[in-house]
């Protein structure tokens, strides 16, 4: 009620404009649901019996700005008093059963419009300015019980728009709801219908799921219904594996636990890069599993294979290149810490760890710590102490050497001057050699760096 009162001045004023012209206006869908949950934001959805061209005439002069990007679907957007508003004409769309794009058909009744919506909790409406509550499909009861069910049959709903199956999993993640049994049954029977949806839309919905408060449960629903086999097959493939320590969890359960533990370390809100890395860090294990005689199971180089698979899957989902690069790198690096052992790494190894991680180092710290899921308290404490030790050494070396900007002790100009060469491949090779030397030995004084460069040039046959 507090949320509804907060938006009442704008909503009621807009409703009065429509009423004066003889039209109905209702706050609808996710806006009503979120208001009842006490989480309404500044994006408001309305539905009306007015046609789009009539809506444009009514809001002209009242709205601070207007956009028409969705007008072919009956939607007019506007901004007013800090609120972003979308007004959509009653719809009673027809679907061809082959795509998710309907033949847009305007309806004449509120109930008809609500019937076509994805879930009953999104099929409630409040009239403005009258504040009459309409709930023909018992959405309020389902909201109180945290249940997701469809206004009509789930089979018809998902046949009309298969993306609604992913939306069900997303609402499980975002809102902590659980799907009605008939919804789960329909998702399972119709999982193949998701192939009608473009990769871009699938990827966008999956991101919303992963960024929710309960992504573990949303992902579990995708796996249990077979939807993950179609859109993220690397996840259900982990169910048949065992982790390298032969613990009680298989790799699938281990992965979901790592995701939970990574989320627990987020300090500044949801981190998509970290969450995706946690989800994908072990996807290389099925392809690298080997049964070793007398030594259990091994997954050698699964981090290398996993990084390639992560790139392939995220590209297929049309994720941004920078995100793909970061997730793949975290997947590739997540196992390196386990070579640290009892702190026997040289300063050179620590420098390489930091340099290879670059700006991803804070996320790598979180991922590695989250990757410890053993129930053995002694082993868990030992792993955490070992990583504490590594972080302390990183801090010590960073304080002395500025690890954030590890570069050769000679720049390109100095290399060209000393070797007497123009810009080109030789300068690049020399620069790479000096950087490796810097990582191996730490900062060098000018004389030592120059001597090392000249020796390298002699060894390469560049000078006599």
């Amino acid at each position: 009620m507090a949320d509804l009162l907060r938006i009442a001045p704008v909503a009621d004023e807009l409703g009065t404009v429509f009423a004066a012209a003889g039209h109905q206006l209702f706050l609808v869908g996710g806006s009503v649901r979120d208001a009842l949950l006490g989480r309404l934001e500044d994006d408001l959805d309305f539905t009306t019996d007015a046609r789009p061209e009539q809506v444009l005439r009514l809001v002209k002069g009242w709205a601070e700005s207007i956009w028409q990007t969705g007008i072919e679907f009956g939607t007019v957007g506007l901004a007013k008093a800090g609120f972003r508003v979308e007004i959509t004409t009653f719809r009673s769309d027809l679907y061809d059963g082959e795509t998710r794009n309907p033949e847009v058909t305007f309806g004449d009744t509120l109930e008809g419009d609500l019937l076509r919506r994805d879930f009953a909790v999104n099929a409630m409406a409040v009239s403005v300015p009258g504040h009459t509550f309409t709930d023909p499909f018992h959405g309020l009861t389902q909201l109180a019980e945290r249940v997701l069910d469809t206004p009509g049959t789930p089979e018809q709903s998902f046949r009309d728009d298969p993306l609604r199956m992913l939306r069900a999993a997303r609402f499980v993640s975002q809102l902590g709801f659980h799907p009605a049994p008939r919804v789960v049954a329909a998702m399972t029977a119709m999982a193949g219908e998701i192939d009608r949806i473009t990769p871009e839309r699938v990827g966008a919905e999956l991101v919303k799921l992963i960024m929710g408060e309960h992504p573990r449960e949303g992902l579990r629903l995708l796996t249990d219904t077979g939807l993950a086999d179609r859109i993220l097959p690397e996840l259900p493939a982990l169910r048949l594996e065992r982790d390298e320590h032969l613990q009680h969890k298989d790799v699938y359960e281990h992965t979901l636990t790592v995701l939970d533990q990574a989320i627990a370390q987020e300090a500044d809100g949801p981190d998509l890069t970290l969450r995706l890395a946690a989800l994908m860090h072990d996807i290389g294990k099925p392809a690298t599993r080997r049964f070793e005689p007398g030594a259990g199971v091994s997954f050698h180089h699964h981090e290398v294979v996993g990084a390639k698979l992560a790139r392939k899957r995220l590209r297929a989902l049309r994720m941004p290149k920078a995100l793909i690069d970061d997730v793949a790198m975290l997947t590739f690096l997540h196992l390196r810490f386990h070579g640290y052992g009892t702190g026997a790494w040289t300063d050179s190894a620590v420098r390489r760890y930091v340099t290879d991680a670059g700006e991803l180092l804070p996320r790598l710290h979180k991922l590695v710590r989250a990757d410890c899921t053993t129930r053995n308290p002694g082993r868990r404490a030992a792993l955490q102490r070992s990583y504490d030790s590594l972080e302390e050494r990183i801090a010590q070396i960073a304080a002395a050497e500025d690890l954030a900007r590890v570069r050769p002790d000679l720049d390109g100009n100095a290399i060209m001057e000393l070797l007497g060469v123009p810009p080109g491949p030789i300068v690049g090779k020399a620069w790479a050699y000096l950087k490796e030397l810097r990582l191996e030995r730490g900062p060098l004084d000018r004389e030592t760096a120059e001597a090392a460069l000249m020796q390298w040039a002699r060894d390469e046959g560049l000078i006599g």
Side-chain angles (χ1 to χ4, degrees):
M1 290 306 298
D3 272 345
L4 291 175
L5 289 173
R6 177 173 66 86
I7 70 167
V10 169
D12 286 351
E13 185 178 333
L14 182 59
T16 300
V17 170
F18 275 69
H23 291 291
Q24 299 172 299
L25 186 68
F26 301 87
L27 185 71
V28 73
S31 293
V32 176
R33 179 200 70 219
D34 288 344
L36 292 166
L37 291 172
R39 49 181 288 158
L40 181 61
E41 298 182 353
D42 295 332
D43 291 336
L44 305 178
D45 293 324
F46 293 89
T47 190
T48 179
D49 60 343
R51 295 300 192 255
E53 62 277 7
Q54 295 171 314
V55 173
L56 284 172
R57 288 197 298 270
L58 289 171
V59 300
K60 185 178 181 180
W62 180 84
E64 295 164 0
S65 60
I66 299 172
W67 54 92
Q68 302 181 44
T69 51
I71 198 164
E72 63 179 307
F73 300 106
T75 299
V76 173
L78 61 92
K80 178 72 172 182
F83 291 96
R84 181 183 174 92
V85 174
E86 288 192 345
I87 305 171
T88 302
T89 301
F90 293 161
R91 298 257 295 267
S92 57
D93 300 334
L94 299 175
Y95 292 82
D96 59 15
E98 296 180 5
T99 69
R100 70 177 296 265
N101 300 319
E103 177 185 337
V104 177
T105 304
F106 297 132
D108 298 313
T109 68
L110 174 64
E111 287 74 12
D113 180 87
L114 297 178
L115 175 62
R116 72 175 187 83
R117 294 177 181 268
D118 53 3
F119 299 104
V121 294
N122 295 330
M124 299 178 284
V126 177
S127 67
V128 286
H131 299 179
T132 299
F133 182 64
T134 301
D135 179 20
F137 306 108
H138 312 293
L140 185 59
T141 299
Q142 293 178 25
L143 191 71
E145 296 175 351
R146 292 292 199 267
V147 172
L148 277 178
D149 203 353
T150 51
T153 67
E155 289 80 7
Q156 183 61 54
S157 181
F158 299 156
R159 189 173 298 109
D160 285 348
D161 185 358
L163 190 66
R164 290 171 175 173
M165 295 187 287
L166 294 192
R167 285 171 61 83
R170 190 239 293 185
F171 288 134
V172 167
S173 172
Q174 289 182 328
L175 303 175
F177 285 20
H178 60 274
R182 69 172 190 162
V183 169
V184 175
M187 291 171 67
T188 304
M190 302 177 67
E193 294 292 308
I194 201 65
D195 295 345
R196 291 161 47 193
I197 305 301
T198 64
E200 291 85 355
R201 296 304 302 269
V202 169
E205 204 65 37
L206 192 58
V207 165
K208 293 175 183 177
L209 185 160
I210 291 170
M211 294 292 276
E213 294 183 29
H214 314 280
R216 180 187 189 121
E217 298 311 316
L219 292 166
R220 192 183 294 283
L221 178 61
L222 292 182
T223 301
D224 291 346
T225 57
L227 279 161
D229 290 315
R230 321 292 300 198
I231 66 171
L232 192 64
E234 295 80 5
L235 180 61
L238 298 176
R239 287 179 299 179
L240 302 180
E241 307 303 322
R242 300 288 295 179
D243 73 10
E244 66 268 41
H245 306 298
L246 295 179
Q247 298 170 335
H248 65 287
K249 299 185 185 73
D250 62 19
V251 181
Y252 172 73
E253 291 295 336
H254 163 79
T255 295
L256 296 181
T257 300
V258 172
L259 176 60
D260 284 343
Q261 294 185 167
I263 291 171
Q265 298 180 71
E266 293 174 339
D268 301 313
D271 183 337
L272 179 60
T273 302
L274 177 63
R275 293 186 181 201
L276 282 172
L279 186 62
M280 297 192 159
H281 77 286
D282 274 349
I283 61 174
K285 283 188 171 180
T288 58
R289 181 175 65 162
R290 298 292 182 272
F291 294 97
E292 306 291 348
V297 182
S298 68
F299 301 94
H300 295 310
H301 306 301
H302 76 267
E303 73 283 9
V304 179
V305 174
K308 293 178 180 177
L309 291 175
R311 284 187 180 278
K312 183 178 180 181
R313 178 52 50 199
L314 295 179
R315 283 182 186 136
L317 292 168
R318 307 295 194 267
M319 299 292 181
K321 182 180 184 302
L323 176 65
I324 294 172
D325 290 344
D326 287 350
V327 172
M329 179 58 73
L330 286 169
T331 301
F332 177 72
L333 292 175
H334 86 274
L335 206 60
R336 187 177 295 184
F337 158 72
H338 292 285
Y340 184 71
T342 58
W345 275 10
T346 63
D347 285 353
S348 171
V350 175
R351 291 188 197 101
R352 291 178 188 278
Y353 188 75
V354 173
T355 302
D356 289 348
E359 294 181 354
L360 293 172
L361 185 62
R363 288 188 174 107
L364 182 59
H365 288 332
K366 294 175 182 177
L367 178 60
V368 172
R369 290 186 181 277
D371 195 25
C372 176
T373 62
T374 176
R375 285 187 174 180
N376 184 317
R379 176 171 174 75
R380 186 178 188 86
L383 284 169
Q384 297 297 347
R385 284 196 303 270
S386 186
Y387 206 80
D388 288 343
S389 169
L390 175 58
E391 288 202 57
E392 289 169 5
R393 288 189 63 194
I394 290 172
Q396 291 167 0
I397 297 173
E401 302 180 13
D402 192 10
L403 285 182
R405 293 190 294 274
V406 171
R407 299 180 63 81
D409 296 284
L410 302 175
D411 63 17
N413 291 326
I415 291 170
M416 289 187 288
E417 181 180 348
L418 286 166
L419 299 184
V421 297
I426 291 175
V427 178
K429 291 180 180 179
W431 192 93
Y433 165 74
L434 289 172
K435 181 175 180 181
E436 285 296 309
L437 195 65
R438 170 73 168 76
L439 289 169
E440 184 69 30
R441 295 169 55 182
L444 304 176
D445 59 43
R446 178 84 181 194
E447 183 179 350
T448 302
E450 290 180 355
L453 174 65
M454 300 308 289
Q455 183 60 52
W456 173 83
R458 283 189 289 272
D459 293 341
E460 293 289 313
L462 300 176
I463 59 176

